[in-house]
Amino acid sequence: MSTTAITGAQVFDGEKSLGVTTVVIQGSRIVQVGGQAPAEAEVVDGAGATLLPGLIDAHVHADRDSLALALQFGVTTELEMQGANTRNRRGAISEDDSVADVRSSGFALTPPGGHPSELFPKDFHPGRPAGGGPGGEHRGEPPYRPDATGPEAAAASIPQLIAHGSDYIKFMIDDGSVEGHPGLPMLDQATLNAGVAAAKKHGALTVAHALTIDATRMAIEAGIDGLAHLFVEPPTDEIVTLIKDAGMFVVPCTVLNASMMGITGSELADDPRVASRLNAAWDATLRSCFGHYPQGKLQDVLDSVKALADAGVDLLVGTDVSQPMPFLGGLAPGASVHQELQRLVEAGLTPAAALRAATATTARRFHLSDRGRIADGLRADLLLVDGDPTTTITDTLNTRAVWRRGTRLAA
C-alpha cells in the first residue's frame, strides 16, 4: 500500500484552517494529520499552496464525461438531483478514480407533464447514467419513475425509489412560471405531504426543487429537509425565519439563478484556468444561459444568501449543471462550483464559510461521513491549490493536484 505525505501546505480541514501541517495518505485513506512525514512516504511539496478536502457539488445531473470534467476542477463528489446514477447502477463509477464519485435521488416526484418534462423531448432527460456502455448508456434496468398522481401513489413510490437505489428523495414543486412555461401541472400540498411523510417513515433524506417563495412555503409545510434551489424573489424576513426554524439546508445554486436571469458564464469561460479544461461544447454552453426569467435580479438572490447565512441556515454549494447544450447554459461541470464559491463570497460570506459550504457542511447534511473533511480515517479526496482560498476565494481555481481515494489525478 503506497504512502504519500503532502508537506508544507496550509491545510483547511473542511471546517477551519490548521495552518501549515503534514497530511499523510495511505492507500485510499488519510492516516495522519500533523507530525512528521513517514520515512517511506513519497513526499509532495505543498509549499505556497493550500490543501482542501475534495469539493462537493450538491446539485448536478451527471454522466461519466461530466463527472470526469468535474474531477479535473477538484470536485470529488457530486450529488445528482434527478438522474440515473442510483446506488444499483453506479458500481463502475464508484471504483473509477478518474471521475468524481456520485450519489443520486433517481427520478424526482412530479405530476405527469410536470417540470422538467417541458424542457426536453420525450424520453430525454439531463442525466444519462454514468456507467455502462459507450456514450454512458446503461444497459440494465431503467431507473424507477415514481408516481405522483396523488397522495397514495406518492407514498407508495417512496419505498420503490429506495429499493431501486435512490440515496435521497427529491420532490418537484414547480408550476413552470420561472422557466417560462407557466401553468404546468404541479404537486399539490396533500401529495407532497404524503410523499415526505413516507420518506421520513423510511428514514430517507428529502429535498425539494422550489424556485419561488410560495413553493418554498409548501416544502416547509411538508417537512422537507433541504431546498435544492433558492427562490428568485427578494427575500422576506418571514421566509428566512421559516427556513431557519424548520432546520432546513439550502443549496442556493446562484449560478443557475443568474443563468435564468440572462447572465451567461462568459466571464468564467474567459478565465484561462477554466478555458484550458473545457472542450468546445462545454465552452459554448458556459457562454450561454437559460434566460427564462429576465425580470429577476441577481442581487435579490445574493441578498437572500446573506440573510440565510446570517440566520444560521446551512448553505451548500451546488450548480444544477447538466449537459453541454446551450439551452441549459451558463454552467459547466466543476468550473461552476468555483463560480458558486465566488458568488457566495460576493453575497457576504467569508471565504472560509464558502469553503465549508462545498465540503464539511454538505457532507454532514447528506450523511457522507467518510468525506468532506481532512481527518484521520477519512477518504483521501483532496484538492491542492496554489495560494490561499481562505483569504482569496478565486485561488480555488489554481489547481496543483487532485486526489480521489488517494489516487492522484493524472495531469
Side-chain angles (χ1 to χ4, degrees):
M1 190 178 296
S2 63
T3 302
T4 300
I6 305 164
T7 65
Q10 298 274 350
V11 175
F12 179 81
D13 71 356
E15 295 173 342
K16 62 186 181 302
S17 293
L18 303 181
V20 175
T21 193
T22 296
V23 174
V24 179
I25 304 167
Q26 192 169 73
S28 64
R29 297 281 164 175
I30 298 165
V31 296
Q32 179 184 321
V33 179
Q36 299 297 312
E40 74 277 10
E42 174 191 354
V43 174
V44 174
D45 182 5
T50 300
L51 187 67
L52 308 165
L55 305 178
I56 304 172
D57 188 337
H59 192 144
V60 305
H61 307 277
D63 62 14
R64 190 191 181 286
D65 290 345
S66 65
L67 291 168
L69 181 55
L71 190 63
Q72 291 183 36
F73 285 94
V75 177
T76 53
T77 301
E78 296 201 319
L79 305 182
E80 188 172 63
M81 291 295 164
Q82 168 117 320
N85 295 302
T86 46
R87 190 169 51 251
N88 55 336
R89 300 167 63 86
R90 60 170 180 259
I93 290 300
S94 297
E95 298 304 315
D96 186 350
D97 292 324
S98 68
V99 300
D101 198 14
V102 65
R103 296 292 182 272
S104 182
S105 66
F107 278 74
L109 282 87
T110 193
H115 179 78
S117 62
E118 81 283 4
L119 296 177
F120 307 105
K122 190 177 187 307
D123 294 331
F124 175 83
H125 126 358
R128 300 191 308 272
E137 72 271 16
H138 195 291
R139 301 190 184 282
E141 180 184 7
Y144 174 74
R145 292 177 181 263
D147 183 348
T149 54
E152 291 184 5
S157 289
I158 301 304
Q160 291 294 323
L161 282 165
I162 295 169
H164 283 79
S166 292
D167 297 290
Y168 36 87
I169 309 298
K170 184 180 180 185
F171 298 84
M172 298 286 191
I173 314 173
D174 195 335
D175 66 357
S177 58
V178 177
E179 294 91 345
H181 293 84
L184 289 179
M186 189 176 85
L187 287 176
D188 59 54
Q189 192 71 59
T191 301
L192 177 62
N193 290 354
V196 174
K200 289 183 181 297
K201 178 180 176 182
H202 287 85
L205 184 77
T206 55
V207 295
H209 165 110
L211 283 167
T212 66
I213 288 177
D214 284 346
T216 300
R217 285 197 188 96
M218 290 180 65
I220 293 167
E221 180 177 328
I224 288 280
D225 294 305
L227 299 169
H229 285 284
L230 181 57
F231 48 83
V232 293
E233 306 102 322
T236 65
D237 291 343
E238 177 204 18
I239 196 64
V240 170
T241 299
L242 287 171
I243 292 170
K244 173 184 173 3
D245 290 349
M248 303 173 89
F249 62 83
V250 178
V251 188
C253 292
T254 68
V255 289
L256 179 278
N257 283 6
S259 177
M260 295 295 295
M261 295 169 181
I263 301 171
T264 74
S266 293
E267 183 178 353
L268 182 65
D270 287 339
D271 188 321
R273 299 171 296 179
V274 173
S276 62
R277 306 181 222 188
L278 299 184
N279 62 25
W282 275 118
D283 180 79
T285 299
L286 185 54
R287 293 180 187 279
S288 183
C289 65
F290 281 78
H292 296 309
Y293 196 73
Q295 66 270 40
K297 296 179 180 178
L298 181 59
Q299 189 59 51
D300 290 338
V301 177
L302 300 181
D303 289 346
S304 294
V305 167
K306 182 63 162 60
L308 290 166
D310 288 348
V313 173
D314 281 338
L315 300 177
L316 281 54
V317 164
T319 63
D320 202 6
V321 67
S322 183
Q323 295 292 307
M325 299 176 179
F327 81 97
L328 302 171
L331 310 168
S336 292
V337 168
H338 297 271
Q339 187 167 41
E340 184 73 5
L341 288 167
Q342 295 170 27
R343 295 277 193 214
L344 295 185
V345 173
E346 182 183 350
L349 274 67
T350 66
L355 291 170
R356 284 192 288 272
T359 55
T361 303
T362 301
R364 172 170 53 82
R365 294 304 302 243
F366 276 86
H367 310 302
L368 302 172
S369 59
D370 63 345
R371 67 196 72 191
R373 293 176 294 121
I374 296 176
D376 289 356
L378 299 191
R379 280 172 60 116
D381 290 353
L382 300 167
L383 169 61
L384 185 66
V385 298
D386 291 325
D388 183 3
T390 67
T391 59
T392 305
I393 195 64
T394 54
D395 284 352
T396 60
L397 276 167
N398 297 333
T399 309
R400 188 185 292 189
V402 177
W403 290 263
R404 198 261 206 182
R405 292 197 311 175
T407 297
R408 186 169 179 172
L409 183 66

